[in-house]
Each structure stands twice: as structure tokens, then as C-alpha cells.
Amino acid sequence: MNIFDKRPLFLIITVFISGFVTFTFGDKLVNGVLIAVAVLLFGLSLFFYLYKKKKVLVPLISSVVLLLSFLFSFLYFDLYFRVYERYDDAVEIEGTVTSVDNYDFSSSYVIKTKKINEKYASYKIKLYSSDFAIENATPGTRVRFIAKLGAFEDFSDFDAETYYFADGISAEATDVTNFEITDVGAPPISSFFANIRAKLVERATALSNERASSLFSALLLGERHLLSGQVQLDFKR
């Protein structure tokens, strides 16, 4: 006798906890196989339940709960927690440069991670070239390095943490060591649109005064850092 037939709540709890732990700590291959099995099981169970009129509640419930555990794992760890809250020490990061901002004495880079400590992890992090020597790292370049991940430090009245997180950037990389370029790939499509946005901001600044151009850039292009502190405060109010 199947004990889950008489105890559906026990079945739900067991499958959910098992799926949550696997999706959270398993590697990409295991998670992919498990999702494929859950989708296939759900499809077959639904087919037999609707068309063959057979009792398949156990596999149907199992597949649904397994898919829900994957969704909950993603939402809980990848959206609720910042990436730096998951790693206390320095980590090895592999990823791709998605954008580059050049300043007078340094540059900043946004890296979309592919692996952290040899495990699949997709995040955006920011690092500055003032911390290490870097050359020829353009959008699309694949890199590998070791760094500590931490929160952004606020300065003046600028809320850096909220600003960067709203743009999908999860952490700032510091104490960068062993930085190396592993491959030079094609620039991502996002860099193309970033260049267009930068040119529009530059054009708006040249054609109008500072206040008007900053409002245009913030409202239409999302460049909120150009707004004065007083204007930002007015919008918050």
C-alpha cells in the first residue's frame, strides 16, 4: 500500500522540502534533469487523469509540488537575498563583462556571473579597476577572478544600494586578485542599447540646461544619478 495515498499532506511536505534543498544546493545539471522529470511527470499525469480517467493523484501532486519548490527556491534565494549575503569569504567568479564605464582615473565594470566557486550562479556584480590592473576588458569579454562580495557604500545623500539593486546589480566586488581574461566574446546586445542611451544623455546635455537634461535622462532613460539631491528629494516626497 502506498502510504502517500492516505497522507497527501505528508507527501506535499516531503516532496517540497526535498525539491527545495536540491534546487538550492544542487548543480545546474541535476536541477535541469529534475525540472525535466517534473514537467514530464506533470504532463503524463494530467493526460491519464483527464483522458484515461485513471487515479494518478500521487504523481500529479508530486510534480506540481516539485515545480513549486523550484519556484520558491529561486524567489527566496535569488530575489530576496543579495548575493553577498550568501558568501562570507572571498569567492572565485567566472562571468562576462556586460558594460564598462570609463572615468578620469579608473573604470567600473558590470560582470554577469556564470559560476561562483565552480557552481552555476547568475548575478550582476560591479567592480572598479582602481583595485587591480586590467586591460582590454570590453563588453562581451569573459573573465575569471577572486574577490569579496559586499554591499555598496552610500555617499552624501545617494542611496547606492537601492540604486544599483534596482538596476539588477547585486553586489560590489572588492579585494580583487588573480584577475584574468579567459576569452574575448562578442559584445552583448545590452551594451549596444547602453551606448545608445549614453549618446542620448550626451546629446540632451548639449542641447539643454542641466536641470532639463537631467529630468529627461531620468524619466526616459533611467539615469537617476544625474538628478540633483533636491529634485530626488522632491520626487521621494
Side-chain angles (χ1 to χ4, degrees), residues 79-200:
L79 295 182
Y80 181 74
F81 282 104
R82 308 291 201 268
V83 61
Y84 59 81
E85 295 176 318
R86 302 185 66 178
Y87 304 98
D88 295 327
D89 302 319
V91 293
E92 183 181 57
I93 298 170
E94 296 180 41
T96 303
V97 178
T98 61
S99 66
V100 180
D101 290 322
N102 295 311
Y103 310 110
D104 292 336
F105 301 103
S106 66
S107 300
S108 68
Y109 301 84
V110 175
I111 311 291
K112 185 173 180 60
T113 66
K114 181 180 180 182
K115 290 183 179 180
I116 297 179
N117 287 345
E118 298 296 329
K119 294 186 65 176
Y120 174 78
S122 181
Y123 292 98
K124 281 185 178 180
I125 61 174
K126 195 175 186 70
L127 65 155
Y128 296 89
S129 64
S130 56
D131 296 333
F132 59 98
I134 180 173
E135 294 180 359
N136 302 322
T138 57
T141 302
R142 288 187 278 275
V143 297
R144 182 191 298 119
F145 57 94
I146 296 174
K148 293 195 69 174
L149 299 177
F152 291 95
E153 293 186 8
D154 296 337
F155 54 91
S156 184
D157 58 350
F158 179 61
D159 186 358
E161 181 75 5
T162 302
Y163 174 80
Y164 286 117
F165 192 68
D167 200 29
I169 302 174
S170 301
E172 179 182 3
T174 59
D175 301 332
V176 179
T177 58
N178 296 356
F179 189 94
E180 60 175 318
I181 295 176
T182 59
D183 193 13
V184 180
I189 190 67
S190 58
S191 66
F192 172 75
F193 291 109
N195 289 334
I196 293 179
R197 187 169 63 178
K199 291 184 181 299
L200 287 174

Side-chain angles (χ1 to χ4, degrees), residues 23-75:
F23 286 127
T24 301
F25 300 104
D27 58 26
K28 186 178 180 181
L29 178 61
V30 173
N31 292 348
V33 170
L34 199 58
I35 292 173
V37 169
V39 172
L40 181 62
L41 183 62
F42 175 76
L44 291 175
S45 301
L46 202 60
F47 172 79
F48 279 100
Y49 183 76
L50 295 177
Y51 295 99
K52 300 296 184 178
K53 304 301 181 182
K54 292 186 177 181
K55 186 180 179 181
V56 288
L57 288 179
V58 170
L60 183 60
I61 292 174
S62 300
S63 60
V64 171
V65 173
L66 193 58
L67 291 173
L68 287 175
S69 69
F70 165 72
L71 178 62
F72 187 80
S73 174
F74 171 76
L75 292 175

